[in-house]
Amino acid sequence: MLKLHIEMDAKLTDLEGRSRRENIRIHGVKEGSEDDAPSMVGFVERLLRHKLELPESAEVRVERVHRALVPKPPPNAAPRSIVAKMASYRTKEEILKLAWQKHGFEYLGNKVNLDHDYAPEVLKQRKEYAEVKSVLKEKKIRFQTPFPAKMRVFYPEGPVLYGSVEEAASDLAKRGFPVTVIKCPETIMEQIRHLMWHTTRKTRGQMSKDRTQDYKEKLQAFRRQEQE
């Protein structure tokens, strides 16, 4: 059962990631900046071309654009991000590379940054590296975070690639860095409890009561099997 849940979660995350393959997420553009533009698509195309100083010959074709699908924030709050689907994966990668080289740009007094449009599960996993990243930045040690949620750290003696935040935190702690060691679930029951909590948290507000009850019943059945 545990293996099935893990495989299904991985497949769903992979499918969602593929559907976002050509997307760029733009953070920091003030709410309403696009109101005077003829279209949201045209606004984003002009913004990218002008702020990234792209030549006229460069292709910047956006197919669809929308603000993040959450309620509009109050005036002084951070603006919703903009999700733009580019015409091709290659165009998207070239624009992101250029934006990262420039470390973003200023627009109407706000710092604007571009990134991949990660699936929620991948984004959650990447955010778990926050403490590790903070420690590495403080120690001025270069690192990268390859897709989907890995970390490559460039130590003086050579680079090391970690497959999870648990692995990264554990190794950094052994090297003497002040990080919190995250314990991986060891027993089958711990893994199931972790998976159930993770799934419920991930879909909070979306998962129906029937599905929640289904998970509880499966856990109870598993416990009965252990006792028999």
Side-chain angles (χ1 to χ4, degrees):
M1 183 179 71
L2 176 62
K3 182 179 179 181
L4 178 61
H5 278 300
I6 292 174
E7 289 177 349
M8 287 299 295
D9 272 353
K11 287 180 180 179
L12 290 173
T13 299
D14 180 64
L15 286 172
E16 186 169 4
R18 291 176 186 275
S19 71
R20 298 167 181 251
R21 181 177 169 83
E22 290 86 19
N23 291 2
I24 288 177
R25 192 169 284 263
I26 307 171
H27 301 274
V29 177
K30 286 185 177 180
E31 293 281 344
S33 300
E34 66 275 18
D35 289 351
D36 294 332
S39 70
M40 188 72 167
V41 167
F43 169 77
V44 170
E45 288 180 345
R46 286 192 295 274
L47 176 71
L48 296 177
R49 186 178 294 280
H50 175 64
K51 289 298 181 178
L52 297 180
E53 301 176 330
L54 297 171
E56 290 299 322
S57 58
E59 180 186 23
V60 186
R61 190 157 61 89
V62 179
E63 292 187 351
R64 297 189 300 274
V65 184
H66 62 81
R67 287 275 183 179
L69 303 179
V70 295
K72 186 175 181 179
N76 295 326
R80 293 170 295 173
S81 59
I82 294 174
V83 181
K85 185 181 187 304
M86 309 306 293
S88 71
Y89 175 77
R90 180 178 177 181
T91 299
K92 169 239 184 165
E93 287 294 302
E94 290 175 349
I95 288 176
L96 281 182
K97 182 178 179 181
L98 184 57
W100 292 341
Q101 288 174 347
K102 291 179 173 291
H103 302 288
F105 54 82
E106 295 283 334
Y107 183 69
L108 298 181
N110 275 18
K111 181 64 181 292
V112 176
N113 291 296
L114 277 63
D115 203 351
H116 296 285
D117 179 31
Y118 296 111
E121 171 61 18
V122 173
L123 185 61
K124 175 185 176 298
Q125 292 176 10
R126 294 178 71 86
K127 285 182 176 180
E128 290 174 348
Y129 284 98
E131 182 187 2
V132 173
K133 289 180 179 180
S134 177
V135 170
L136 292 172
K137 286 179 180 178
E138 184 179 339
K139 301 296 183 180
K140 297 183 179 180
I141 297 177
R142 189 165 70 93
F143 63 86
Q144 296 173 340
T145 50
F147 183 85
K150 299 180 181 180
M151 172 171 276
R152 181 179 290 108
V153 180
F154 296 88
Y155 297 108
E157 62 273 21
V160 176
L161 179 65
Y162 302 109
S164 68
V165 65
E166 292 89 353
E167 183 183 348
S170 176
D171 189 50
L172 261 69
K174 291 177 182 177
R175 293 171 182 265
F177 292 93
V179 296
T180 304
V181 177
I182 303 172
K183 180 184 176 184
C184 296
E186 295 179 355
T187 67
I188 294 296
M189 287 304 298
E190 285 178 340
Q191 292 181 51
I192 290 178
R193 291 191 188 102
H194 175 77
L195 180 63
M196 287 186 62
W197 173 87
H198 176 71
T199 306
T200 303
R201 181 181 177 87
K202 178 178 63 178
T203 58
R204 183 176 295 169
Q206 303 172 15
M207 181 183 289
S208 67
K209 292 182 179 180
D210 289 342
R211 189 174 179 187
T212 303
Q213 183 62 31
D214 181 58
Y215 278 113
K216 290 180 179 178
E217 290 174 356
K218 288 178 179 178
L219 179 58
Q220 290 170 357
F222 184 86
R223 285 172 175 167
R224 286 196 297 270
Q225 290 175 6
E226 275 200 332
Q227 294 171 355
E228 292 176 355

